[in-house]
Amino acid sequence: MPEITVTEHLLSTQKSSSPHATGQFTALLHDLIVSAKIISRNVKQAGLVDILGGTGRINVQGENVQKLDEFANSVLIYRMRACGAVCAVGSEELAESLIFSSRGEEQPRGPYIIFFDPLDGSSNIDVNVSIGTIFSIYRRAEESCGDVSEQELLRPGLEQVAAGYFVYGPSTMLVYSTGQGVNGFTLDPSIGEFLLSHPNMHIPETGAIYSVNSAYYPHWDERTREAVDTFARPADREPHSLRYVGSLVADFHRTMLYGGIFLYPAEERKPKGKLRLMYEASPLAFLAEQAGGLATDGADRILEKRPQEIHERTPLFIGSARDVEKVMAIYRRRS
Ligand code: P6P
């Protein structure tokens, strides 16, 4: 197969999907990719330089900020400001969103709004487990002008124009969609390019793996226990295998390729679950649906949820359509 770079792929699909494209999205994606290459380089060196361990600071989520979290966040913010295509940024590591104003700038700011988890799974950094960057991209309404308002930021996932993730594992990969299916690209470090390696990704309709932190079983409600038991202790067939990395991007990437279901339910100590709607659940739900899968909070489709605040959390059941439908049926019956 000829080597197709992510830029070539984007330009070729853009011609068909948005001929009037101004190149601003290409500029945004280019700077996102450069950010990921820089983050990947530092992640791969983490054991060799004094960048392991925490900064001693606590982020808005109440979690210990790892030095690489902070580094990834600052690289992404710098590049998103510099690319000119972005007018606002939301990040797991920022209590408030960042609004980039056009005032005093030679060029008006572009129309794109990006949310990201700069380094998800950071608790795994020190033990050399795969981690990732998750991003979600919206576009301002054509008629919008002036600085972005808070209200323009709180949009349901259905309105995303693009979403994806970088996974820093044995290889560094980019998996993303602009609404025309999902494609995967693997970084070839010898030439510094992301090359098309997983064209037109589809989640199998059902899978043989479920992914959940079963240690929380005592804290789940009855419908969640029944949902998990559907895969762990099925009455009518072999049980699924349990695989849980504890790094969302790694667990989701496996689900995209092998099928099955990832579950992070609500529980008594986390009534809205742990994962964040805007920069974890919504972008992954966008990818899952583009790849033929489903994503729900148990009752509602993730992509239809309108956030009330940037760091809102949500329960998440995501993966193969038939497996997620089983969970939804249990929640419907027991609610
Ligand atoms: P738990 C990592 O901290 C993270 O945000 C996700 O990457 C991961 O899926 C989840 O938390 C793991 O949470 O409660 O099982 O440790």
Side-chain angles (χ1 to χ4, degrees):
M1 179 165 74
E3 293 174 341
I4 301 173
T5 68
V6 60
T7 308
E8 287 165 340
H9 186 268
L10 176 70
L11 293 174
S12 65
T13 50
Q14 210 165 54
K15 279 195 194 100
S16 56
S17 61
S18 43
H20 58 279
T22 63
Q24 286 194 311
F25 183 77
T26 307
L28 194 177
L29 191 69
H30 169 76
D31 276 277
L32 212 43
I33 287 168
V34 171
S35 303
K37 289 178 184 174
I38 294 168
I39 294 166
S40 177
R41 178 203 56 200
N42 283 57
V43 164
K44 303 286 185 201
Q45 292 171 349
L48 305 172
V49 297
D50 175 31
I51 199 164
L52 287 177
T55 58
R57 271 195 279 281
I58 302 297
N59 68 11
V60 65
Q61 321 292 338
E63 295 166 342
N64 175 36
V65 177
Q66 301 283 346
K67 290 177 184 174
L68 267 173
D69 283 35
E70 216 164 64
F71 172 79
N73 193 51
S74 57
V75 167
L76 283 161
I77 288 170
Y78 172 81
R79 291 249 159 223
M80 291 299 98
R81 186 195 302 273
C83 79
V86 170
C87 54
V89 166
S91 168
E92 182 197 50
E93 297 299 334
L94 296 176
E96 304 297 328
S97 314
L98 264 184
I99 309 297
F100 297 151
S101 172
S102 295
R103 278 195 302 277
E105 293 204 339
E106 286 163 25
Q107 298 291 333
R109 302 274 338 161
Y112 294 104
I113 297 167
I114 185 167
F115 297 93
F116 48 70
D117 183 350
L119 208 54
D120 178 79
S122 50
S123 54
N124 292 303
I125 292 172
D126 289 359
V127 293
N128 204 15
V129 165
S130 297
I131 50 184
T133 298
I134 309 171
F135 59 90
S136 167
I137 300 171
Y138 293 84
R139 186 186 171 95
R140 288 187 88 179
E142 292 295 333
E143 62 277 8
S144 301
C145 57
D147 290 351
V148 181
S149 66
E150 185 76 14
Q151 218 39 45
E152 285 184 270
L153 300 177
L154 299 174
R155 313 246 305 260
L158 269 178
E159 295 179 14
Q160 292 173 98
V161 294
Y165 59 85
F166 294 92
V167 52
Y168 312 108
S171 61
T172 292
M173 278 194 70
L174 163 61
V175 174
Y176 86 101
S177 172
T178 57
Q180 281 87 35
V182 183
N183 291 288
F185 302 81
T186 301
L187 180 63
D188 177 343
S190 67
I191 57 171
E193 285 287 359
F194 279 96
L195 302 178
L196 182 61
S197 53
H198 297 69
N200 197 20
M201 293 171 72
H202 269 83
I203 301 184
E205 201 183 19
T206 183
I209 298 172
Y210 73 106
S211 185
V212 68
N213 187 336
S214 302
Y216 300 151
Y217 196 93
H219 303 288
W220 293 332
D221 61 23
E222 282 309 311
R223 57 189 183 169
T224 299
R225 289 180 184 178
E226 182 181 341
V228 173
D229 287 348
T230 299
F231 305 105
R233 287 174 276 281
D236 56 351
R237 55 181 171 66
E238 280 302 302
H240 279 49
S241 296
L242 172 59
R243 294 284 184 277
Y244 193 71
V245 178
S247 185
L248 176 59
V249 174
D251 282 318
F252 180 71
H253 186 63
R254 182 200 55 248
T255 306
M256 281 287 281
L257 294 176
Y258 291 169
I261 185 168
F262 172 86
L263 311 92
Y264 205 110
E267 41 120 313
E268 56 198 18
R269 302 161 303 177
K270 294 174 237 173
K272 293 198 75 175
K274 173 183 183 183
L275 301 177
R276 294 79 168 180
L277 176 60
M278 294 213 72
Y279 41 81
E280 290 176 328
S282 276
L284 299 188
F286 185 81
L287 294 175
E289 292 203 7
Q290 282 287 318
L294 290 176
T296 176
D297 64 2
D300 299 315
R301 184 182 174 205
I302 290 290
L303 291 183
E304 291 178 356
K305 295 183 75 166
R306 181 176 289 277
Q308 300 308 309
E309 61 100 6
I310 299 285
H311 300 295
E312 181 171 318
R313 298 175 190 267
T314 177
L316 179 63
F317 304 89
I318 189 169
S320 293
R322 283 185 31 206
D323 295 350
V324 174
E325 280 164 353
K326 283 179 185 167
V327 173
M328 294 165 75
I330 291 167
Y331 269 63
R332 264 196 304 274
R333 173 166 44 83
R334 298 196 66 137
S335 296

